[in-house]
């Protein structure tokens, strides 16, 4: 039986480093934002490499859902799926994934905004997915009667071994120290958009310590971060560390 892990996060949230971490396990397959192509096709958002992403991916919502709900690639017993709730603008949602084990990866809004603005136009807080992630968290908690695991990226970066061990326990899988390092460069599972977004993680071989201070923002960037704060704080209360 495949253990499917759906890790929900916003962009610029060490989500690719987490995918690298789980991908370093010998028992785990990984998927990189499988609904991204469908999201781009449905919304017309002009993200970097949008046309290339749409051309490369299955953009049918139901087809993607069926694939992600099946057996893991290469017969692996664990399948880590990197998902973003703000991508889910079509006819499927977390409610259609009842057999996945859902977890939530959060990051301080100031860090997310400061990182995102370097890579893409940032017009509104909805582009960062905080509200959507909180709604998904609350829906899954209500469906199961159990609080889904939440991890904060700063906690992972500050103490990856302890935080990841707690996450594995919450997900019902064994902790594997192999998750602490990975090979540098692009990986075969990366989406084609990685050529634009993944330069830092491609240069890495493991988790780096978090910056000591939050970045200072002004103007519209500060307002976007503040608009995300309540949702971040609501999720932060449930963080494993």
């Amino acid at each position: 039986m495949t253990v499917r892990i759906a890790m929900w996060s916003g962009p610029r949230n060490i989500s690719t480093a987490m995918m690298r971490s789980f991908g370093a396990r010998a028992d785990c397959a990984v998927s990189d934002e499988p609904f991204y192509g469908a999201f781009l096709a449905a919304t017309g958002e002009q993200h970097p490499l949008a046309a290339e992403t749409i051309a490369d991916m299955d953009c049918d919502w139901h087809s993607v859902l069926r694939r992600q709900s099946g057996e893991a690639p290469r017969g692996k017993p664990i399948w880590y799926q990197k998902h973003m709730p703000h991508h889910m603008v079509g006819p499927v949602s977390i409610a259609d994934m009842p057999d996945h084990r859902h977890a939530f990866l959060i990051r301080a809004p100031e860090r997310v905004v400061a990182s995102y603005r370097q890579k893409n136009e940032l017009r509104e807080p909805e582009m960062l997915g905080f509200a959507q992630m909180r709604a998904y968290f609350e829906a899954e908690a209500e469906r199961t009667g159990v609080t889904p695991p939440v991890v904060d990226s700063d906690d992972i970066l500050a103490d990856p071994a302890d935080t990841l061990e707690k996450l594995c326990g919450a997900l019902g899988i064994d902790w594997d120290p192999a998750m602490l390092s990975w090979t540098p460069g692009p990986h075969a599972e990366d989406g084609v958009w990685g050529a634009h977004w993944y330069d830092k993680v491609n240069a890495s071989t493991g988790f780096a310590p978090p910056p000591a201070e939050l970045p200072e923002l002004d103007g519209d960037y500060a307002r976007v971060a503040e608009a995300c704060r309540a949702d971040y704080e609501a999720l932060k209360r449930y963080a494993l560390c």
Side-chain angles (χ1 to χ4, degrees):
M1 181 186 72
T2 299
V3 174
R4 299 177 207 85
I5 298 168
M7 177 62 81
W8 299 93
S9 77
R12 314 310 292 171
N13 198 7
I14 77 163
S15 57
T16 307
M18 286 290 284
M19 182 176 70
R20 292 279 190 273
S21 175
F22 275 83
R25 300 174 60 115
D27 61 356
C28 188
V30 299
S31 292
D32 192 8
E33 301 178 35
F35 291 99
Y36 190 26
F39 164 79
L40 292 171
T43 63
E45 282 282 351
Q46 295 302 303
H47 286 193
L49 298 174
E52 292 85 347
T53 298
I54 292 170
D56 187 66
M57 297 189 76
D58 180 355
C59 295
D60 179 271
W61 297 94
H62 294 289
S63 174
V64 175
L65 176 64
R66 285 193 297 271
R67 177 70 191 97
Q68 299 304 124
S69 301
E71 296 300 311
R74 304 182 305 283
K76 299 286 187 178
I78 301 172
W79 190 359
Y80 181 90
Q81 301 174 9
K82 172 187 167 192
H83 292 296
M84 296 201 171
H86 65 285
H87 287 172
M88 309 302 285
V89 299
V92 302
S93 73
I94 192 173
D96 297 297
M97 304 166 74
D99 296 323
H100 285 63
R101 300 180 188 182
H102 298 278
F104 297 83
L105 174 65
I106 60 174
R107 192 183 192 191
E110 294 87 351
R111 298 201 195 282
V112 175
V113 170
S115 181
Y116 191 93
R117 67 186 288 189
Q118 298 178 32
K119 291 292 186 178
N120 195 26
E121 177 189 12
L122 180 55
R123 303 185 307 275
E124 55 195 9
E126 288 76 14
M127 298 175 71
L128 304 179
F130 281 90
Q132 296 93 321
M133 185 151 51
R134 180 181 179 181
Y136 270 18
F137 170 85
E138 292 174 349
E140 181 64 7
E142 181 176 358
R143 182 184 75 85
T144 64
V146 177
T147 302
V150 177
V151 283
D152 191 297
S153 65
D154 274 4
D155 294 331
I156 294 168
L157 296 177
D159 192 345
D162 182 64
T163 309
L164 291 173
E165 184 173 6
K166 289 177 180 175
L167 175 61
C168 288
L171 290 169
I173 63 174
D174 291 334
W175 156 241
D176 186 344
M179 297 173 69
L180 297 175
S181 62
W182 50 82
T183 57
H187 286 211
E189 300 87 357
D190 295 352
V192 297
W193 57 90
H196 176 82
W197 296 92
Y198 294 174
D199 51 333
K200 288 187 178 180
V201 75
N202 285 344
S204 73
T205 58
F207 295 102
E213 303 292 336
L214 290 176
E216 293 188 7
L217 303 171
D218 55 19
D220 288 341
Y221 294 114
R223 284 189 286 275
V224 167
E226 186 57 30
C228 298
R229 175 150 304 283
D231 294 316
Y232 167 74
E233 294 290 351
L235 292 166
K236 176 70 172 175
R237 291 199 298 269
Y238 299 96
L240 294 176
C241 293

